[in-house]
Amino acid sequence: MEQEIIIPEITKEFETFDIKEFNTKKLNEEVRKKEDDKLIILLDYSNGYSKSVYYDKNAFSVVNNYYLNGNIEIKGVRFNNGSEYGTWYHYDEKGNLTEEENIDEGYDFGWLDVIKYCHKKDIQLEKGYPKRGGIKTEIYKNEEEGKKVWTISYYKPKTDEYIEVTLDGKTGKEIKRRDLEFIGN
């Protein structure tokens, strides 16, 4: 079952957070706005502000964090239920770009390969803002025994199984597979 996945693109351009607008619209330290095919969530936290953009037809979202002065601190793309994707940009408080961090470095078997693996194995990838409750496919990058790996946990409704597989980050070869237990009632 082929699922079209489009990964959002970001630039390294300087951005600011509109603190004044946020303060006039916030409710319980957040603002939620629906624009076309996306949900934008603005948050206030002790070190600054955050903006997350979830796309209705996408399993990836854009995350921006801002300093208390409203200048961009860090921005990048992440899998809605898992790890970061691609290049993340870091800035100082004045808004100067200080680092371009390639989160995918060392993963020859990359995100697009993992997505193809999920399609081939009929693993559902939830799109849009993560809904509460239920079991969602999670995809995380990890290191095990000095090797970069992918960990995918997912539910297979046809067989009522909750499974975790670990793939080699270089080759994509399945390293291990285990059944997970349902916790709860």
Side-chain angles (χ1 to χ4, degrees), residues 16-149:
T16 59
F17 188 88
D18 190 336
I19 299 169
K20 185 177 179 182
E21 179 185 359
F22 174 77
N23 285 331
T24 61
K25 294 182 177 181
K26 74 179 175 180
L27 180 64
N28 297 326
E29 308 308 320
E30 76 172 29
V31 172
R32 288 179 179 238
K33 301 188 289 188
K34 184 75 173 148
E35 292 180 2
D36 300 322
D37 67 340
K38 60 188 170 202
L39 173 65
I40 301 168
I41 300 176
L42 308 172
L43 297 172
D44 182 344
Y45 65 100
S46 60
N47 295 330
Y49 304 93
S50 175
K51 174 183 173 183
S52 297
V53 180
Y54 295 92
Y55 300 87
D56 292 346
K57 298 176 182 168
N58 205 316
F60 289 84
S61 55
V62 174
V63 178
N64 293 1
N65 287 344
Y66 301 86
Y67 291 103
L68 286 170
N69 66 8
N71 287 344
I72 189 75
E73 176 184 4
I74 186 171
K75 64 178 168 175
V77 175
R78 72 175 299 127
F79 183 71
N80 289 344
N81 295 306
S83 289
E84 294 84 5
Y85 164 86
T87 302
W88 279 64
Y89 301 99
H90 302 260
Y91 305 81
D92 64 21
E93 278 193 75
K94 293 179 182 172
N96 299 307
L97 181 64
T98 59
E99 182 184 3
E100 294 184 32
E101 180 183 15
N102 180 356
I103 301 291
D104 297 334
E105 191 171 319
Y107 287 85
D108 295 343
F109 189 82
W111 269 109
L112 296 178
D113 299 310
V114 170
I115 291 167
K116 286 178 189 170
Y117 173 89
C118 290
H119 292 166
K120 183 177 171 188
K121 300 288 185 178
D122 201 20
I123 299 171
Q124 294 297 308
L125 302 177
E126 185 176 82
K127 297 176 183 175
Y129 181 71
K131 289 151 193 71
R132 294 181 70 167
I135 300 172
K136 297 154 189 65
T137 299
E138 296 181 343
I139 303 174
Y140 286 97
K141 296 176 193 170
N142 296 299
E143 266 196 47
E144 290 183 7
E145 300 171 12
K147 291 174 74 172
K148 295 197 182 282
V149 298

